[in-house]
Amino acid sequence: MRIAIATTSAGRVELLDPDGGLHLDCDAAELPERVARLEAEAAPRWVWRDTREWAPRLLGAGVRVARCHDLRLCGAILASSTAVAAGGSIVRERPTWLPAGPAEGGLDPAAAPAPSVDRGPALFDFEPAPRGKAHGSPSVADLAREHDRQVALAAASDRPSSMRLLLAAESAGALIAAELHAAGLPWRRSVHERVLEESLGPRRPVGGKPARMEELAVAVRRELEAPALRLDSQADLLRALRAAGIGVDSTAKWELREHEHPAVAPLLAYKRLARLLSANGWAWLDEWVVDERFRADYVAGGTATGRWATSGGGALQLPKAVRAAVVADPGWSLVVADASQLEPRVLAALARDPAMAAAGRGRDMYRSIVDAGVVATRDEAKVALLGAMYGATTGDSGRLVPQLARAYPRAMALVDRAARDGEAGRQVTTLLGRSSPLPPPSWHVAQAAASQPDATAVEERRARSSAREWGRFTRNFVVQGTAAEWALCWLAGVRTRLAAMEAGGTRAAASGPVFERAPHLVYFLHDELIVHTPADQADAVADAVRAAAEEAGRLLFGDAPVEFPLDLAVTGSYASVGA
């Protein structure tokens, strides 16, 4: 059963089952009760334009739905997927009332940071270019017709089963994002304040630097012989470093570490504290932590690969220093699970590379690569494998990648082929059917200019560089995007299992009416999740998290001999994990 739900022009709410004859009209205040009753009686799939329009208000009223179809997110996937038939009788274009997906738009390789082993995923964290504003408000009949269109496109695709799974997982992800915000991550303000005071010193008035930062700034100025230096000005700092004989092209920490100078250590310490103050300092604490909960604004499908983003709060970049503030409520525990070396394992499964799959049997894939005699050390294995996935051609990565190619030919052929497609301006597609964006107009302009008979050497170099950059993007897209699909299926499996557990007797009131007595997801970061659970249910939750990971592997890769082990801990404090 499916039920479309929309707001009418009169401000009321309309619900329609186009297949079963149900057609209801109710006041907005009545909606939670109506939805709760239908959910209990029929467990329908709710069809709505955007989960963000409906899930928060339902959760706030104590109502949680099991399934939905998010027309906005699913429409964005179908609109660009190479797996979807371009012709035929099914209209591929979306209606004008359907908003663009959160990651739609082009990525200019000239503006994108070059990927590296340290910050490769940053390549995909670009600002979305929206398709345009939606026009008009749909009726429930409009929603039902759009749902029919999307279902038909998925059925007519090259991989209908995979596409259906992707759309279901993406929609489940939208529900989970709303639920993570509603429940919130348990956060002890007193612990956070203690961390800040120990690291920075006492809180200063607005505009004043904390004491520890001032001390470090004085030390940097002294060592650089620049008493008036403004450390927060990148241009001034770069000039002062060069004047002191430190030949750097930027103030990045990795570049500073290459120089032995007495100013470097205090400068790096200053930059670390400045980051803590700006990203998770007192102002952040005042804005984002309310009633002992951090409620981030997650954006499901927020990047081109399907990885999530956030529109506020920085939940995807919580430094270790503040994780001590993530503490379970009294009588509750945190179950923290991290999928070990997810992307390399996904590559092995995607490529059906038996040698790489064998290396992935066990908890440390990099150590297995060393044991197989491919490279000499674990660090070399990590650098080589990540370099292969992100297209590194220089340094240690460039030197070691050929050794990987000889040992794991199928895996390396897969990412090499994806890179060639990108360099030619073609799309690449994940296992389930999400496709990469096409290059932006500036990319095509550069390629066209280089193909002219009178093209200059500068134009040819620019075209080659932009082609390589886009190839590096598509090289990892298939791996990172498929890993995101695995993680979505894992999340959805955990959510379903948690919903089936009995409510406990211990109450976590700050988690809200839906989650105050039941185990619930509270955090997600690409390949890591946290469940907040009554302590007496922690072992059962841990089993559920493991079972969901195994199920996700089977859903995506069938009988591929690749393991997806978890680093899993039951704890009272996030800071204790990996300590």
Side-chain angles (χ1 to χ4, degrees), residues 114-376:
S116 68
V117 169
D118 288 335
R119 58 186 178 95
L123 178 62
F124 306 98
D125 298 335
F126 61 94
E127 289 293 324
R131 177 173 65 98
K133 292 184 178 179
H135 299 284
S137 298
S139 67
V140 285
D142 292 331
L143 296 179
R145 282 191 292 270
E146 173 59 11
H147 184 243
D148 287 339
R149 186 188 72 89
Q150 292 188 9
V151 169
L153 282 172
S157 70
D158 295 342
R159 51 188 87 172
S161 296
S162 295
M163 186 61 73
R164 283 193 293 270
L165 175 59
L166 175 57
L167 300 185
E170 188 83 343
S171 297
L175 288 173
I176 293 166
E179 291 168 2
L180 290 172
H181 179 89
L185 181 62
W187 201 278
R188 298 294 172 265
R189 184 184 182 95
S190 59
V191 175
H192 191 139
E193 289 175 333
R194 184 170 67 248
V195 168
L196 294 177
E197 290 186 3
E198 290 174 353
S199 300
L200 298 165
R203 185 175 189 174
R204 292 285 182 88
V206 176
K209 286 283 192 301
R212 180 57 180 149
M213 288 181 65
E214 289 286 9
E215 293 169 5
L216 292 167
V218 168
V220 173
R221 295 184 186 112
R222 181 179 65 248
E223 299 298 345
L224 294 179
E225 298 181 2
L229 174 62
R230 297 178 301 163
L231 269 70
D232 297 326
S233 167
Q234 297 299 307
D236 290 356
L237 179 57
L238 194 57
R239 280 193 294 269
L241 290 168
R242 290 171 176 170
I246 305 174
V248 291
D249 295 322
S250 73
T251 61
K253 64 181 181 180
W254 65 265
E255 189 170 359
L256 290 170
R257 285 172 177 162
E258 295 180 356
H259 297 270
E260 293 185 6
H261 190 281
V264 170
L267 176 56
L268 289 174
Y270 178 91
K271 289 170 71 70
R272 184 173 62 254
L273 294 184
R275 170 65 181 168
L276 174 62
L277 178 64
S278 63
N280 300 101
W282 288 278
W284 180 91
L285 188 57
D286 292 340
E287 180 177 4
W288 288 100
V289 177
V290 179
D291 296 331
E292 301 288 88
R293 290 294 186 270
F294 166 41
R295 291 182 168 86
D297 292 328
Y298 289 94
V299 181
T303 67
T305 60
R307 273 187 166 190
W308 286 15
T310 58
S311 61
L316 304 184
Q317 295 178 334
L318 292 181
K320 289 184 178 180
V322 300
R323 292 182 181 182
V326 182
V327 179
D329 285 4
W332 288 61
S333 296
L334 302 175
V335 176
V336 183
D338 182 357
S340 177
Q341 301 155 353
L342 177 59
E343 287 188 15
R345 296 174 190 278
V346 164
L347 174 57
L350 266 177
R352 298 278 171 160
D353 190 310
M356 183 173 278
R361 294 190 192 108
R363 303 201 68 79
D364 192 339
M365 192 170 185
Y366 302 132
R367 173 55 58 189
S368 297
I369 291 174
V370 174
D371 294 342
V374 180
V375 294

